[in-house]
Amino acid sequence: MGKIFYLMGKSASGKDTIYKKLRECCPKLRTIVLYTTRPMRDGETDGVEYHFTTPDQLARFEKAGKVIELRTYQTVCGPWSYATVDDGQIDLKQRDYLMIGTLESYEKMLAYFGKTAMEPIYVTVDDGVRLERALARERLQREPKYAELCRRFLADEEDFSEKNRKRCGITKEYCNDDLNACVREIMETVFSIQNH
């Protein structure tokens, strides 16, 4: 039985960078690309970071019973939805996967696939560092959305609370003070589980 190594952390914790590095270092891990209705950011590619879609298309997936988990956030730019869709990407009989998402989506994936299929990888970093990173990233956008940055930052405090992590069985944290050391530690966990 395959595993889904599920990478998550608060916004600007470095999880997107870690995800990219893990994809380079662990090419046997397949990826699961989420669907989103949010606008594409500068530097993103459809089908790589996300499948950028419409609310109507997500509704058609739901009607067809293909949505594994769906979240909609009321952002300062309007509602943005994110979904994991059973579109043929996942075959746990044959492969292991690397996925990135939120604690809420992890919990729904856990309910759908079961505890033996899911391996949480929770990335942490000092909140001050996260805020600096988020601000630097947002400044690079053609139209920075600072209010949305603040909303996400505050929402993550509640979403990733110790109580919520404990409820989901997340006990291990990977500190991203040093990117390369953090990636090495995660890789050791992945290889250990794959070779067990």
Side-chain angles (χ1 to χ4, degrees), residues 13-14 18 123-127 129-130 133 174-183 185:
S13 60
I18 290 170
V123 176
T124 64
V125 73
D126 173 76
D127 283 341
V129 172
R130 282 194 318 109
R133 288 177 181 175
Y174 298 86
C175 182
N176 188 18
D177 288 343
D178 176 323
L179 177 64
N180 292 327
C182 185
V183 169
E185 185 181 4

Side-chain angles (χ1 to χ4, degrees), residues 7-189:
L7 182 64
M8 64 194 123
K10 296 175 182 175
S11 60
S13 60
K15 60 189 177 295
D16 290 329
T17 303
I18 290 170
Y19 179 78
K20 288 174 184 172
K21 287 197 169 284
L22 289 172
R23 287 186 65 195
E24 292 169 9
C25 299
C26 308
K28 288 187 179 181
L29 288 178
R30 292 289 177 102
T31 58
I32 301 168
V33 181
L34 301 181
Y35 288 74
T36 186
T37 61
R38 80 151 167 78
M40 193 181 307
R41 290 182 184 145
D42 296 341
E44 291 182 325
T45 304
D46 187 39
V48 177
E49 288 84 7
Y50 293 98
H51 293 294
F52 293 94
T53 190
T54 64
D56 289 342
Q57 180 60 52
L58 281 185
R60 286 193 289 276
F61 282 138
E62 271 194 296
K63 190 173 182 183
K66 293 185 174 286
V67 174
I68 297 170
E69 61 88 24
L70 170 68
R71 297 153 276 129
T72 300
Y73 302 101
Q74 298 305 321
T75 76
V76 296
C77 303
W80 290 351
S81 297
Y82 296 81
T84 305
V85 177
D86 190 356
D87 60 357
Q89 292 183 72
I90 305 167
D91 180 3
L92 289 172
K93 291 179 183 165
Q94 300 292 322
R95 308 209 179 277
D96 291 326
Y97 295 86
L98 177 64
M99 191 169 177
I100 188 170
T102 66
L103 187 63
E104 179 185 357
S105 62
Y106 173 76
E107 191 168 20
K108 291 176 182 175
M109 294 286 288
L110 196 59
Y112 190 87
F113 289 106
K115 187 176 171 105
T116 57
M118 302 297 296
E119 182 62 38
I121 299 172
Y122 176 59
V123 176
T124 64
V125 73
D126 173 76
D127 283 341
V129 172
R130 282 194 318 109
L131 193 52
E132 288 171 354
R133 288 177 181 175
L135 189 56
R137 179 176 68 190
E138 202 60 37
R139 282 186 177 130
L140 297 175
Q141 299 300 311
R142 267 182 267 169
E143 293 180 33
K145 295 174 176 64
Y146 297 116
E148 175 56 19
L149 178 155
C150 293
R151 185 207 63 81
R152 276 196 324 264
F153 190 87
L154 294 172
D156 281 348
E157 290 304 305
E158 174 63 27
D159 294 346
F160 284 98
S161 69
E162 185 176 349
K163 176 184 78 167
N164 288 344
R165 292 193 319 269
K166 187 178 276 189
R167 185 184 70 238
C168 293
I170 297 170
T171 56
K172 183 164 178 54
E173 296 181 1
Y174 298 86
C175 182
N176 188 18
D177 288 343
D178 176 323
L179 177 64
N180 292 327
C182 185
V183 169
R184 273 195 307 275
E185 185 181 4
I186 293 169
M187 285 174 50
E188 287 169 8
T189 298

